[in-house]
Amino acid sequence: MIRLTYASTATKEYGSEELLKLLKKCRTNNGAKNITGILLFANGTFFQVLEGDEATVNNLYAIIEKDKRHKDCTIIDKQKITERAFPYWSMGFEKIDAKELNKMDGLNDFFEHDFTPSGFVSHKNIIGPLLTHLRGKLVKQVAEECHEELPLEHDDPFIKLLHRTIRASVKVLAFLMVLVILLGVLDVIFVMYEKMSEPPYFHLSINEILETFGAFLAVLIAIEIFLNITLYIRSDVIPVKLVVATALMAISRKVIVFDFHHLDPAYVSSSALVVLGLGVTYWLLDKKH
């Protein structure tokens, strides 16, 4: 992969609506090519970072150069990378005025006088601080707009009341699940004490070991369910991966304690398919992140 940074001069003044249309088009085109990056517009100058496969980025830049909406298209930096600085957006966008840009650490008064293609080439040392600032803004923006199952703000007062009620109920469920976990731990202790305090002492048969494993796994599943419950009152996580992990642990627990002498082969086979399906799903989710 490479990161290509360039700047250009707009051939006309762009309003907010025109910039949003441009952004939408960039997101569509670049997303289809697995190109990510950031687009900055200020003082009549476009500043853009493109990240992705080298050949794809080079081909895209060749098209960008011929675009009549800007001129003086100048490559500021081009380097090979092992990971993306902007991996979560098909194209980020910022329209920032000079006053805000001047507040960035290490950039001084650059944006008042040198925010031009030639100015960027002459001051390449500002690229690092600028990208760090822009990445920080986008991370904050994504955090504010992220997934939330039960938002506290809603246009309908009745829906807002229902969300608050459900959130309160979730907290009660979370508290009760903690009690279940504590009782589960006590059950594990009791099972171990019961099995090892009877003759022959400190000796467990295979079936007793499996029963002990079942008690342990029940507690672990309860902990996973507690985490799932609390995710519904958080706004920074989409709980898909954790839900799949919980389901995988639950079915795995059943497999561990199977009594194969009394189970129908079709039941065992279907359980194996469920484990396989959940395992592949979890692997794909983990690989994606």
Side-chain angles (χ1 to χ4, degrees):
M1 292 193 300
I2 64 168
R3 178 183 300 123
L4 187 151
T5 307
Y6 78 89
S8 61
T9 303
T11 54
K12 67 172 186 176
E13 184 61 32
Y14 281 89
S16 297
E17 285 191 17
E18 290 178 293
L19 288 169
L20 288 174
K21 288 181 180 178
L22 175 61
L23 170 63
K24 186 176 181 180
K25 186 176 181 181
C26 288
R27 280 179 170 163
T28 302
N29 295 339
N30 295 342
K33 299 173 182 176
N34 196 26
I35 292 178
T36 59
I38 177 73
L39 174 63
L40 174 67
F41 180 78
N43 298 342
T45 297
F46 289 108
F47 173 86
Q48 187 166 198
V49 177
L50 301 171
E51 297 177 328
D53 176 74
E54 183 172 4
T56 307
V57 171
N58 287 334
N59 290 338
L60 176 60
Y61 180 72
I63 297 172
I64 289 173
E65 274 189 306
K66 300 174 183 177
D67 197 310
K68 306 255 184 225
R69 289 172 293 189
H70 63 170
K71 61 182 180 179
D72 304 326
C73 202
T74 306
I75 293 179
I76 303 167
D77 186 44
K78 186 177 180 181
Q79 57 179 291
K80 292 187 179 296
I81 58 174
T82 56
E83 61 180 358
R84 302 172 191 250
F86 302 94
Y88 304 114
W89 309 273
S90 57
M91 184 59 58
F93 171 73
E94 286 293 334
K95 184 175 185 293
I96 312 177
D97 59 31
K99 290 182 180 179
E100 182 177 354
L101 294 172
N102 285 332
K103 295 177 183 178
M104 300 182 202
D105 294 337
L107 301 184
N108 300 320
D109 298 325
F110 171 83
F111 294 97
E112 289 186 5
H113 312 290
D114 298 303
F115 195 82
T116 62
S118 59
F120 275 108
V121 173
S122 301
H123 300 79
K124 289 187 177 182
N125 61 305
I126 63 95
I127 300 301
L130 177 58
L131 294 185
T132 300
H133 175 84
L134 293 175
R135 177 178 170 80
K137 282 181 66 69
L138 286 176
V139 168
K140 183 178 179 181
Q141 178 183 336
V142 168
E144 291 173 350
E145 297 177 355
C146 62
H147 166 91
E148 189 165 10
E149 293 284 352
L150 301 167
L152 291 175
E153 300 300 327
H154 199 280
D155 295 335
D156 189 329
F158 180 66
I159 297 298
K160 184 177 179 179
L161 174 63
L162 292 180
H163 282 181
R164 290 183 179 275
T165 303
I166 295 174
R167 278 176 170 264
S169 301
V170 168
K171 291 179 180 179
V172 173
L173 285 176
F175 174 74
L176 293 176
M177 185 54 67
V178 171
L179 294 181
V180 171
I181 291 170
L182 292 176
L183 291 174
V185 172
L186 292 176
D187 182 63
V188 170
I189 295 173
F190 175 76
V191 168
M192 292 184 65
Y193 171 78
E194 186 180 48
K195 299 302 180 186
M196 293 189 295
S197 62
E198 298 176 355
Y201 299 108
F202 297 100
H203 174 76
L204 296 176
S205 66
I206 296 297
N207 289 335
E208 289 173 333
I209 290 175
L210 290 176
E211 186 178 343
T212 305
F213 284 169
F216 271 100
L217 287 172
V219 175
L220 293 177
I221 292 171
I223 293 173
E224 295 291 342
I225 294 174
F226 169 80
L227 294 175
N228 282 340
I229 291 173
T230 57
L231 284 176
Y232 285 96
I233 52 176
R234 291 174 58 184
S235 60
D236 58 329
V237 181
I238 300 178
V240 176
K241 185 177 178 181
L242 191 54
V243 171
V244 173
T246 304
L248 185 58
M249 180 177 289
I251 188 66
S252 298
R253 174 187 177 273
K254 289 184 68 68
V255 171
I256 290 173
V257 297
F258 270 173
D259 185 352
F260 294 97
H261 297 291
H262 301 91
L263 287 177
D264 186 76
Y267 184 87
V268 176
S269 299
S270 60
S271 299
L273 288 175
V274 172
V275 172
L276 178 62
L278 288 171
V280 171
T281 302
Y282 185 86
W283 177 75
L284 289 173
L285 289 171
D286 188 59
K287 185 178 180 181
K288 182 179 179 181
H289 290 82

